[in-house]
Amino acid sequence: MKPRVSTLLWGAALLLTAAFSQAAAQTAQLTVMTHDSFSISRQTVAAFEQAHGATLRFLKAGDAGAALNQAILSKANPMADVFFGVDNTYLSRALKADIFQAHDSPLLAAIPDRLKLDPQNRLLPVDFGDVCLNYDKKWFQTRQLRPPASLEDLAQPAFRGLTVVQNPATSSPGLAFLLATVGRFGENGYLDFWQKLRDNDVLVVDGWKEAYWGQFSGASRGSRPIVVSYASSPPAEVHFAESPLDEAPTAAVTAPGSCFRQIEFVGILKGTPRLALARQLVDFMLDRGFQEDIPLQMFVFPANRQAALPEVFRRHTRLAEQPVALPPEEIAAHRERWIQAWTETVLR
């Protein structure tokens, strides 16, 4: 007796369903905890997922400091497998918390030593950017005024009421700029500089978006032509312009001692049950494909020196000349005191 066709089709469907369920069950999911500003293209994510038969889930947990705090508080029961976004202002706090698994990635050979701040490779450098003053070129040209060339210029009468900065207690670029002033003027001089800025009517806001998109005349209807942002903000203005531009409408002050270099790191969280896959993801993030996606996604520079930069970066970005560098241990030891002293001087 021959089986009926419908019976054969039903059996085949059951086999396919079982096979699909088994394959789905075998697909590992890797969770990456990060800050709210993280961005990478769908194509890059898909490249990793297809190469490793895995899916990536990104858990955004606030700004860099808030995300790190959550990772530390949940160390007994990690919320993710990998953490991206610790920068050099929080590096010592992250390492002291002992939440990262060391990984000697072979891709580290392509990254300059000056970006490697953890000798044990618990945190591996992924990108860097310079926090600098930016100014509205048209605003100064229209008034035939000289734009600022240094931090000291901001305290001059000619620049009264022109600058907007971020609160270092609530903003990562704001903290980086505070550190730039500590490095530039020293422990005994940075508060005098900030007192002069207060006397010169500096405007303080909570975050970068409010400063750049709300108060900066070069990117909004704001009235302040000087803002704390990144040396890579001018190419972003060109890239996102509604009409093609030959020249960026804004520029960054990159004179020696006027910028702070932020370095961002990735690390594998201790306790992950997917250690091998987590290592593969970290290697992938340090390799050229991911690295060459970084500039137009997050507008910072890739750490891998073999990564090619997009044309808009090559034409419109200037790296800082001799950026301020402070040891992570010194930042960790004094960060809260510096912020408190800044608050007393500038806001009260």
Side-chain angles (χ1 to χ4, degrees):
M1 180 178 169
K2 294 182 179 179
R4 297 176 61 179
V5 173
S6 59
T7 302
L8 291 174
L9 290 175
W10 177 248
L14 287 175
L15 289 173
L16 285 173
T17 300
F20 178 80
S21 299
Q22 185 177 7
Q26 292 174 347
T27 300
Q29 182 184 75
L30 203 65
T31 300
V32 181
M33 194 171 187
T34 184
H35 52 63
D36 287 347
S37 299
F38 174 79
S39 178
I40 206 69
S41 71
R42 291 183 179 180
Q43 294 87 343
T44 297
V45 172
F48 177 83
E49 291 178 335
Q50 291 169 9
H52 298 281
T55 57
L56 293 179
R57 171 175 170 260
F58 295 96
L59 176 60
K60 295 189 175 183
D63 65 22
L68 176 62
N69 284 339
Q70 290 195 53
I72 292 173
L73 291 172
S74 61
K75 63 183 292 185
N77 187 22
M79 300 168 64
D81 305 287
V82 172
F83 188 99
F84 168 79
V86 175
D87 69 17
N88 45 330
T89 67
Y90 287 104
L91 184 96
S92 288
R93 177 189 290 182
L95 296 180
K96 186 178 180 181
D98 192 29
I99 61 174
F100 292 107
Q101 170 85 38
H103 174 44
D104 297 326
S105 171
L107 276 301
L108 284 169
I111 294 178
D113 289 342
R114 66 179 183 278
L115 300 180
K116 303 173 189 172
L117 301 185
D118 176 23
Q120 298 182 40
N121 295 329
R122 292 160 293 179
L123 286 169
L124 296 81
V126 174
D127 62 62
F128 68 94
D130 295 326
V131 176
C132 307
L133 296 172
N134 277 217
Y135 60 87
D136 178 355
K137 293 162 69 174
K138 184 178 180 180
W139 192 98
F140 284 96
Q141 289 167 356
T142 300
R143 292 162 178 77
Q144 297 184 326
L145 295 175
R146 176 182 66 81
S150 67
L151 298 186
E152 289 85 345
D153 278 349
L154 300 187
Q156 299 301 314
F159 296 91
R160 179 176 177 78
L162 302 186
T163 305
V164 55
V165 303
Q166 301 87 11
N167 186 335
T170 56
S171 164
S172 178
L175 174 58
F177 188 64
L178 171 61
L179 297 177
T181 65
V182 172
R184 173 67 175 171
F185 302 108
E187 278 256 31
N188 296 324
Y190 81 100
L191 289 176
D192 290 340
F193 169 76
W194 280 103
Q195 182 62 55
K196 291 176 182 175
L197 286 198
R198 176 174 179 169
D199 295 342
N200 219 24
D201 192 26
V202 67
L203 175 64
V204 180
V205 297
D206 284 343
W208 180 89
K209 288 183 178 178
E210 184 180 355
Y212 199 84
W213 296 116
Q215 300 293 337
F216 180 43
S217 63
S220 71
R221 294 184 178 179
S223 61
R224 302 270 171 158
I226 304 171
V227 66
V228 170
S229 190
Y230 290 85
S232 48
S233 295
E237 292 294 335
V238 175
H239 182 70
F240 292 113
E242 294 182 357
S243 302
L245 296 176
D246 292 327
E247 181 181 342
T250 61
V253 178
T254 56
S258 62
C259 304
F260 182 83
R261 178 156 294 173
Q262 277 186 319
I263 307 168
E264 285 193 303
F265 300 83
V266 65
I268 300 169
L269 289 165
K270 283 186 173 179
T272 172
R274 291 164 286 274
L275 180 58
L277 188 60
R279 286 172 172 161
Q280 290 172 329
L281 177 63
V282 170
D283 291 347
F284 178 81
M285 293 177 73
L286 302 187
D287 211 346
R288 287 188 61 179
F290 188 97
Q291 291 280 299
E292 291 179 355
D293 200 25
I294 286 175
L296 296 184
Q297 293 295 326
M298 295 190 281
F299 282 87
V300 288
F301 289 86
N304 187 327
R305 55 178 162 240
Q306 296 174 351
L309 289 173
E311 182 182 2
V312 70
F313 254 66
R314 294 197 302 271
R315 289 185 58 193
H316 302 289
T317 305
R318 292 177 58 188
L319 280 172
E321 305 166 30
Q322 302 172 31
V324 168
L326 294 173
E329 299 79 10
E330 184 177 349
I331 296 173
H334 304 297
R335 179 181 51 239
E336 300 309 320
R337 179 170 60 81
W338 288 336
I339 292 174
Q340 183 61 35
W342 178 93
T343 301
E344 295 289 340
T345 301
V346 180
L347 299 184
R348 295 175 181 167

